[in-house]
Amino acid sequence: MNTITPVILCGGSGTRLWPVSRKSFPKQFAQLVDDTSLFQATAERLSGSARFAKPIVVTNSDFRFVVTEQLSEVGIDPGAILIEPEGRNTAPAVLAAALYLHARDPEAAMLVAPSDHRMPDGAAFRAAVEKGMGALEKGKMVLFGIQPDRPETGYGYLELDTNGGDTVPLKRFVEKPDIATAEKMIEQGNFLWNAGIFLFRVKDILKAIETCAGQLVGPVSAAVEEAEVDLGFLRLAPGPWAGAEDISIDYAVMEKADNLEVVPFESGWSDLGGWDAMWRDLEKDGDGVVCNAGATAIDCSSSILRSEHEAMELVGIGLKDIVAVATRDAVLVAHKDRSQDVKLAVSALKDKGAKQATEFPMDHRPWGWFESLVVGSRFQVKRIHVHPGAALSLQSHFHRSEHWIVVEGTARITVDDEVKLITENESVYIPLGSVHRMENPGKVPMVLIEVQTGSYVGEDDIVRYEDIYARGQGAKG
């Protein structure tokens, strides 16, 4: 085994980091810590040496173009992007990737990693992976355990059978404990946090799934065999995929297997599973306050203040142990000890029909993104960003006309039979019913302001005639 194929899982929703992470654009794709998303950092961490082959990414249809765009931004070419028709948890996702890889290299090794973890020392993690490779030759499957720095009730634990060596036999899994149990395990010293990262030979994980979770093999195998290629993505067949049990790889296989070894890892790890984790992981001032550029703290302590919008200045006065996060359309204020309950806010917003529960004002598309600036009963104003070389579909609308004003770059505009270039400070009118398209022919982003007027300005008022991204009539943008 000369190379390892990373398998990056990135279909989660990250509700505990709401309002920055939402279903339409979850935390793995957000720039939570720096200018690189967690997904990009994961891909870079798993491509930092010749040991790693091109990664396989397992995601859903909504994120497929975000995945390719973010990988392109960091110069990484994926080996394959598998599209899940619906989320079925990690066991079916791992099995689908293993079957895909086995058909190409039965002796391959694969490293399965979530896309939303933070591990600042990529070199240290790659060294840990190297330590695990020897165990694979003995038919072992390897887990990575994190050295705890506190009694944590939000993680599962791995109890080690012995101490010492590159890999250590696993004695047992421990579910998320209460605080008293967690304190005792930390004192004992032979318990690690379960990072949910796995290393194994493809043939070994396939054998383990057949033995421990044979009910998955039929539907997932059929979904892979009947998969269709779509613009370079591999869409798993929805019919058989729907018959796969919704179950994690831990429950389905790992907790039943008897050939597991653990590589201890001590160089920094966080799953950023809530705002309390963000507070612990980020740099603080002398009062224990974490602020970004859009926030100001006055006489605050042990808090995190964060503004996510250029026009939203967040100010906290006299706050202690508080999470305050502001976006353009939502504000969260919570006690830091209640960070894990942020998901309750998402549920409450869903119950009242608030779109902020799952959607952002900024909507990502394969060609770029748009942001709704103002919405009224018969009008909407948007800012639209089109990537260099990208184009929206050739389309028309039944219920609205549009006025476009270019504010950055150059646009190639089609209106019925006329095609023309318009540059900054120029505009064009799109009458109701006209067949039209906007394209960016340049090498820099193109930004325009769109004013829609009409009896209905919903995203589903669209008739699509041509689309380089092969989206159907019901798709947006």
Side-chain angles (χ1 to χ4, degrees):
M1 293 178 293
N2 295 320
T3 61
I4 304 165
T5 298
V7 175
I8 303 175
L9 307 178
C10 61
S13 58
T15 55
R16 288 176 294 177
L17 283 175
W18 184 89
V20 173
S21 174
R22 307 185 197 180
K23 182 180 179 181
S24 66
F25 198 77
K27 68 173 183 174
Q28 59 265 32
F29 301 120
Q31 296 176 342
L32 291 172
V33 179
D34 50 35
D35 292 337
T36 302
S37 73
L38 296 176
F39 169 65
Q40 289 172 318
T42 300
E44 289 183 312
R45 184 166 60 248
L46 304 184
S47 61
S49 74
R51 174 69 108 170
F52 293 102
K54 293 179 179 180
I56 294 173
V57 180
V58 184
T59 188
N60 64 49
S61 184
D62 290 342
F63 303 145
R64 66 196 190 280
F65 293 110
V66 177
V67 165
T68 55
E69 178 184 335
Q70 291 205 351
L71 288 178
S72 176
E73 288 173 355
V74 294
I76 294 175
D77 181 21
I81 298 176
L82 308 187
I83 305 299
E84 296 177 292
E86 58 181 308
R88 307 304 289 168
N89 216 315
T90 55
V94 170
L95 176 54
L99 291 167
Y100 174 88
L101 188 56
H102 186 265
R104 289 149 184 82
D105 183 2
E107 298 299 318
M110 58 188 285
L111 175 67
V112 177
S115 61
D116 57 358
H117 291 182
R118 184 168 188 245
M119 303 177 79
D121 193 342
F125 179 69
R126 290 189 290 273
V129 173
E130 287 295 332
K131 290 181 180 180
M133 288 298 289
L136 268 61
E137 299 290 351
K138 304 172 187 176
K140 303 292 185 180
M141 299 192 295
V142 174
L143 299 86
F144 292 83
I146 308 301
Q147 186 64 49
D149 59 7
R150 64 187 184 279
E152 173 61 60
T153 61
Y155 300 148
Y157 285 71
L158 307 172
E159 183 179 2
L160 305 185
D161 192 39
T162 59
N163 289 311
D166 286 344
T167 63
V168 182
L170 175 68
K171 185 174 182 179
R172 66 182 177 114
F173 288 85
V174 179
E175 295 295 326
K176 296 176 181 178
D178 57 32
I179 187 63
T181 303
E183 290 172 347
K184 289 179 182 177
M185 291 193 296
I186 297 300
E187 291 175 5
Q188 216 170 311
N190 62 328
F191 288 87
L192 304 178
W193 292 334
N194 181 6
I197 303 172
F198 309 100
L199 176 68
F200 31 62
R201 294 184 299 190
V202 173
K203 61 184 180 183
D204 292 328
I205 188 60
L206 290 178
K207 179 180 178 181
I209 292 174
E210 289 172 359
T211 301
C212 302
Q215 74 277 9
L216 295 175
V217 175
V220 176
S221 295
V224 174
E225 291 168 2
E226 299 171 23
E228 296 182 355
V229 176
D230 175 16
L231 292 177
F233 305 103
L234 187 66
R235 288 184 175 274
L236 302 174
W241 185 258
E245 182 181 359
D246 185 329
I247 188 170
S248 72
I249 192 69
D250 298 77
Y251 286 133
V253 177
M254 296 301 167
E255 294 189 8
K256 302 173 184 176
D258 59 3
N259 62 334
L260 303 182
E261 298 271 328
V262 179
V263 175
F265 185 72
E266 303 180 5
S267 295
W269 169 89
S270 174
D271 72 344
L272 297 183
W275 288 111
D276 54 338
M278 287 285 293
W279 176 82
R280 280 192 300 268
D281 212 53
L282 296 178
E283 184 177 350
K284 307 166 192 62
D285 66 14
D287 296 315
V289 175
V290 177
C291 274
N292 71 347
T296 300
I298 301 172
D299 295 331
C300 297
S301 62
S302 188
S303 298
I304 179 168
L305 284 73
R306 184 181 181 112
S307 174
E308 292 290 322
H309 194 269
E310 58 196 18
M312 176 73 74
E313 184 69 27
L314 175 66
V315 180
I317 302 175
L319 303 180
K320 181 180 180 181
D321 295 325
I322 292 297
V323 173
V325 183
T327 65
R328 184 175 177 271
D329 66 334
V331 177
L332 168 71
V333 181
H335 194 281
K336 188 149 55 67
D337 291 345
R338 299 291 301 275
S339 293
Q340 296 303 307
D341 291 334
V342 170
K343 59 187 177 182
L344 301 179
V346 177
S347 296
L349 291 174
K350 286 181 179 178
D351 290 343
K352 66 186 292 185
K355 64 181 181 180
Q356 288 92 335
T358 57
E359 299 177 13
F360 278 105
M362 180 181 289
D363 205 332
H364 290 264
R365 292 286 184 265
W367 43 260
W369 53 265
F370 71 82
E371 180 180 20
S372 294
L373 303 177
V374 183
V375 181
S377 60
R378 291 181 61 88
F379 74 93
Q380 180 171 205
V381 181
K382 292 180 179 179
R383 174 170 58 175
I384 300 178
H385 175 113
V386 183
H387 297 316
L392 280 69
S393 60
L394 185 67
Q395 58 187 258
S396 66
H397 308 295
F398 288 116
H399 303 288
R400 69 177 186 256
S401 59
E402 297 173 344
H403 193 152
W404 298 343
I405 307 99
V406 175
V407 295
E408 292 182 30
T410 299
R412 179 187 293 123
I413 304 298
T414 299
V415 182
D416 293 326
D417 295 329
E418 182 182 6
V419 180
K420 62 181 179 180
L421 294 177
I422 63 173
T423 58
E424 294 179 12
N425 296 320
E426 295 182 331
S427 64
V428 64
Y429 175 67
I430 313 297
L432 185 150
S434 293
V435 177
H436 60 277
R437 170 159 50 201
M438 70 175 74
E439 305 171 69
N440 181 359
K443 297 184 181 299
V444 297
M446 182 269 287
V447 180
L448 59 77
I449 301 299
E450 177 182 84
V451 181
Q452 303 174 350
T453 58
S455 59
Y456 180 72
V457 294
E459 288 302 310
D460 54 349
D461 176 21
I462 183 171
V463 178
R464 184 172 282 114
Y465 304 98
E466 296 177 7
D467 182 38
I468 62 175
Y469 308 108
R471 295 168 295 170
Q473 293 291 344
K476 299 178 182 180

